[in-house]
Amino acid sequence: MDQLTWMVRMPNYSSGHCVVAIAQIAPVWLDRAGTMDKIAGKIREAGQSGVRLVVFSEGVLPGYPFWIEHTDGARFESDLQKSLFAHYSDQAVDIAGGDMGSLCATAREAGVWVMLGCIERDPNRGQSVFASLVTIDDNGEIRNVHRKLMPTYEERLVWSPGDGAGLRTFELDGFRLGGLNCWENWMPLARSALYAQGEDLHVAVWPGSVRNTEQITPFIAREGRSFVLSASSLLRQEDIPDNAPHVDLLRERLPAVCADGGSCIAGPDGEWIIPPRADDEVLLIAEIDHARVREERQNFDPFGHYSRPDVLELQIDRRRRNGASIRD
């Protein structure tokens, strides 16, 4: 077994089991084409390993905007910030325009479901971008695009707030699959929106830090009595490509390590299946069994026997918001 592959097999109690994986990689930062090639390679590797679902980190395509914190990102009318954003918007993914086509084809060829974080630009919304979590099925079809509801702190300087259109779950080998972006996972009602649709396989995507994943991953697993995959990425000085805009300044200002990984998998009892893994590019693989969900929901089922819909009820608006309603 490759030393950069970590595999865990669980007891086979039932027919409802699934092999899942997290691809913890460094993007070819701020380079859409280069990063897509790297992602495609990991999808193929996952398929060759018998994986049914492979997950990538928040904004991995084409990368998280680490420059904001270290280059005076809040300065108004900054030529530097305008230049960096213009490049970022250019390298963002136009999903309607077919930018994900090659990855969809790779997912189909590998027979693998893919969930990955991307920076999405919607031509109907100008040049603004969203942090989106895209779900591709094993037929190569894009099943869902979930735009991050609320960018966190300095992220609001480059990412637009999303909407509820992507708060959806999907059947996968006896599991119900859903996912959220980064600090959305701290939003009780966002989590509940997925629990209410039967989610029991939860994907949480992060830019990359053990401090983000080590506490909340087992908490969500225990609260939802679900399997939880937390996917993170890496970004080190050596991952800043020579063709990045303002490359000399970025190498001067950014720390040696912006993102150290921290990808991990927890079971529905809140215990680690794979604890947070830091500092290297790795494909983390685990076989999960739905019987464990049913066992843990014997005493607590968040939207089942332990809910009180007569007292507490959540309303979810899943309309895609475009900012205009046009009648001709």
Side-chain angles (χ1 to χ4, degrees), residues 167-279:
L167 292 173
R168 301 174 188 274
T169 63
F170 301 90
E171 195 278 333
L172 173 62
D173 295 354
F175 289 86
R176 199 73 188 169
L177 171 68
L180 295 172
N181 297 283
C182 198
W183 271 26
E184 284 184 319
N185 289 284
W186 285 108
M187 298 171 68
L189 298 186
R191 296 195 306 270
S192 295
L194 300 180
Y195 298 160
Q197 298 172 67
E199 184 196 58
D200 48 33
L201 175 53
H202 180 79
V203 170
V205 296
W206 312 86
S209 174
V210 173
R211 62 180 168 79
N212 276 329
T213 61
E214 63 184 349
Q215 292 181 329
I216 195 169
T217 304
F219 168 76
I220 296 174
R222 182 69 170 164
E223 177 187 63
R225 306 301 163 108
S226 302
F227 287 96
V228 177
L229 282 63
S230 273
S232 293
S233 62
L234 302 166
L235 190 74
R236 303 146 296 194
Q237 279 280 337
E238 60 265 31
D239 298 317
I240 301 175
D242 292 340
N243 64 352
H246 306 284
V247 61
D248 292 335
L249 177 65
L250 292 174
R251 286 175 174 163
E252 174 190 340
R253 298 284 184 87
L254 268 59
V257 178
C258 290
D260 65 357
S263 299
C264 50
I265 301 176
D269 56 356
E271 297 297 321
W272 291 121
I273 296 172
I274 299 177
R277 176 70 172 260
D279 301 327

Side-chain angles (χ1 to χ4, degrees), residues 8-322:
V8 173
R9 297 287 183 181
M10 298 187 69
N12 182 10
Y13 296 123
S14 71
S15 60
H17 57 101
C18 181
V19 179
V20 298
I22 299 172
Q24 179 168 283
I25 65 170
V28 182
W29 196 49
L30 308 184
D31 182 332
R32 182 178 64 231
T35 303
M36 288 180 72
D37 287 344
K38 194 167 186 178
I39 291 170
K42 285 298 179 182
I43 294 172
R44 295 188 190 100
E45 182 181 345
Q48 292 164 2
S49 300
V51 168
R52 291 287 291 136
L53 167 70
V54 61
V55 181
F56 297 82
S57 65
E58 181 186 43
V60 68
L61 179 62
Y64 186 85
F66 287 107
W67 75 82
I68 305 170
E69 180 182 357
H70 303 286
T71 62
D72 198 13
R75 183 169 296 279
F76 192 60
E77 295 289 9
S78 163
D79 289 340
L80 172 64
Q81 299 306 319
K82 288 182 179 182
S83 173
L84 287 166
F85 178 80
H87 178 82
Y88 201 47
S89 178
D90 178 67
Q91 293 299 301
V93 176
D94 178 358
I95 294 175
D99 284 351
M100 299 287 286
S102 64
L103 292 183
C104 290
T106 303
R108 181 178 64 252
E109 292 162 6
V112 176
W113 282 64
V114 178
M115 292 183 74
L116 70 99
C118 72
I119 306 307
E120 179 200 0
R121 178 171 51 82
D122 182 348
N124 292 322
R125 299 290 296 274
Q127 298 302 313
S128 296
V129 298
F130 303 88
S132 296
L133 180 57
V134 178
T135 302
I136 305 170
D137 68 19
D138 55 357
N139 289 317
E141 298 293 328
I142 294 177
R143 299 288 293 274
N144 197 40
V145 180
H146 172 53
R147 295 173 176 172
K148 189 173 185 178
L149 295 170
M150 178 51 66
T152 302
Y153 206 54
E154 72 265 18
E155 293 171 358
R156 297 172 201 172
L157 295 169
V158 290
W159 295 347
S160 300
D163 54 37
L167 292 173
R168 301 174 188 274
T169 63
F170 301 90
E171 195 278 333
L172 173 62
D173 295 354
F175 289 86
R176 199 73 188 169
L177 171 68
L180 295 172
N181 297 283
C182 198
W183 271 26
E184 284 184 319
N185 289 284
W186 285 108
M187 298 171 68
L189 298 186
R191 296 195 306 270
S192 295
L194 300 180
Y195 298 160
Q197 298 172 67
E199 184 196 58
D200 48 33
L201 175 53
H202 180 79
V203 170
V205 296
W206 312 86
S209 174
V210 173
R211 62 180 168 79
N212 276 329
T213 61
E214 63 184 349
Q215 292 181 329
I216 195 169
T217 304
F219 168 76
I220 296 174
R222 182 69 170 164
E223 177 187 63
R225 306 301 163 108
S226 302
F227 287 96
V228 177
L229 282 63
S230 273
S232 293
S233 62
L234 302 166
L235 190 74
R236 303 146 296 194
Q237 279 280 337
E238 60 265 31
D239 298 317
I240 301 175
D242 292 340
N243 64 352
H246 306 284
V247 61
D248 292 335
L249 177 65
L250 292 174
R251 286 175 174 163
E252 174 190 340
R253 298 284 184 87
L254 268 59
V257 178
C258 290
D260 65 357
S263 299
C264 50
I265 301 176
D269 56 356
E271 297 297 321
W272 291 121
I273 296 172
I274 299 177
R277 176 70 172 260
D279 301 327
D280 58 0
E281 298 195 271
V282 62
L283 186 67
L284 303 173
I285 301 175
E287 184 172 0
I288 59 176
D289 193 318
H290 195 270
R292 292 293 298 116
V293 172
R294 299 194 299 275
E295 289 170 354
E296 294 304 319
R297 291 192 179 183
Q298 181 268 336
N299 56 21
F300 183 80
D301 192 341
F303 268 78
H305 65 79
Y306 216 90
S307 65
R308 283 295 304 276
D310 55 324
V311 178
L312 302 169
E313 185 177 55
L314 174 64
Q315 295 183 3
I316 305 166
D317 186 344
R318 294 203 307 202
R319 290 173 292 174
R320 177 65 84 202
R321 299 292 187 169
N322 290 318

